[in-house]
Structure formats: C-alpha cells, structure tokens
C-alpha cells in the first residue's frame, strides 16, 4: 500500500512499529482481525485503546488492492465495530489521509465523521475521524 500512494519506506516503518508494539504489549480491549483468501493475507484491522476512557482506536485498516470493492473492507469494518461494542467502547476514532478514497467512503458508511484536518509532509491532508 505505501508504494501505491507514494508514501515510501517511512510509512512502512511507521506501520511496522505499530504492529510490533501491538504484538508485544497487547492489552485487554484490543484485537487484531485479518481476512485471508486461499491462505493469502488480504486484509487486516486492529482495535486498540486510544487513551481516552470508553474510546477505541481503529488502526492499520488495510485491504489489498486486488480485493477492494469485493466486500472485504466492509466485513472487516463490521467485525471491528462489533468487537468494539462487545468490548464496551462507546466511541471509536481513526486517522486517515486524503488519497484513501475507498477507505474514506467506508468510514462514512460506518458512521464516522471528520473532526479535524491537518496538512503534513508533502502537503498530504490527514484527517481525524470519530464515530457518532
């Protein structure tokens, strides 16, 4: 995905650090779900504590390009929303970036809305999203 959007190795390192930190210190109220097809990993989503009471954070939501618009993202979003509810979260947040148009449509359908927009490196617009 990073190369798809021209983000380069810095993004890959950032995502890898999130995954390694999660694997090394997973806490109650956190989970990882993956989608696979024929033994191949085609998508993932993490639910983490955000640091705010009752609030979870959706992280590393990813669907491989060949499997987008096939329902994989919707299934992953449903499982993370259901999981968050079961874990007692009353609110979810996530960060996204402007080139992720397919994901943004999915976030909107799931009830997320933008609360903040910030330009970062190379003029990329990042967004903070929250559930209702």
């Amino acid at each position: 995905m990073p190369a798809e959007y021209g983000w380069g190795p810095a993004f890959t390192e950032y995502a890898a650090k999130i995954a390694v930190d999660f694997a090394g210190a997973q806490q109650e109220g956190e989970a990882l779900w993956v989608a696979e097809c024929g033994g191949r990993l085609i998508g993932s989503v993490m639910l983490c504590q955000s640091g705010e009471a009752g609030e979870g954070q959706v992280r590393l939501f990813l669907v491989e390009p060949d499997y987008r618009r096939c329902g994989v993202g919707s299934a992953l979003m449903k499982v993370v929303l259901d999981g968050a509810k079961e874990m007692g979260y009353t609110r979810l947040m996530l960060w996204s970036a402007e080139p992720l148009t397919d994901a943004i449509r999915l976030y909107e359908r799931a009830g997320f809305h933008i609360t903040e927009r910030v330009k970062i490196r190379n003029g990329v617009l990042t967004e903070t999203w929250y559930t209702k």
Side-chain angles (χ1 to χ4, degrees):
M1 183 177 87
E4 177 181 6
Y5 297 104
W7 290 344
F11 179 82
T12 302
E13 290 170 17
Y14 169 75
K17 181 177 180 350
I18 291 169
V20 168
D21 289 350
F22 175 85
Q26 185 179 355
Q27 302 175 23
E28 188 174 325
E30 297 187 328
L32 166 69
W33 293 274
V34 298
E36 63 178 306
C37 182
R40 179 177 174 219
L41 182 64
I42 61 169
S44 64
V45 64
M46 291 171 47
L47 177 62
C48 301
Q49 296 180 16
S50 75
E52 299 291 327
E55 181 180 276
Q57 181 178 1
V58 177
R59 302 194 84 183
L60 299 185
F61 177 75
L62 168 73
V63 176
E64 289 293 330
D66 291 346
Y67 294 90
R68 293 183 191 153
R69 298 184 180 253
C70 298
V72 175
S74 295
L76 286 168
M77 184 56 65
K78 180 178 181 349
V79 81
V80 76
L81 292 174
D82 290 348
K85 186 176 181 179
E86 288 176 22
M87 292 179 200
Y89 290 110
T90 57
R91 180 169 141 144
L92 294 176
M93 66 86 58
L94 60 84
W95 286 301
S96 190
E98 65 181 340
L100 304 176
T101 55
D102 289 340
I104 288 168
R105 278 193 299 276
L106 186 62
Y107 302 151
E108 289 170 339
R109 286 195 312 265
F112 285 86
H113 61 279
I114 297 171
T115 58
E116 179 182 26
R117 287 188 164 121
V118 176
K119 289 240 183 211
I120 60 168
R121 281 175 258 149
N122 301 325
V124 172
L125 181 66
T126 62
E127 302 162 333
T128 304
W129 293 69
Y130 282 95
T131 53
K132 297 176 186 174

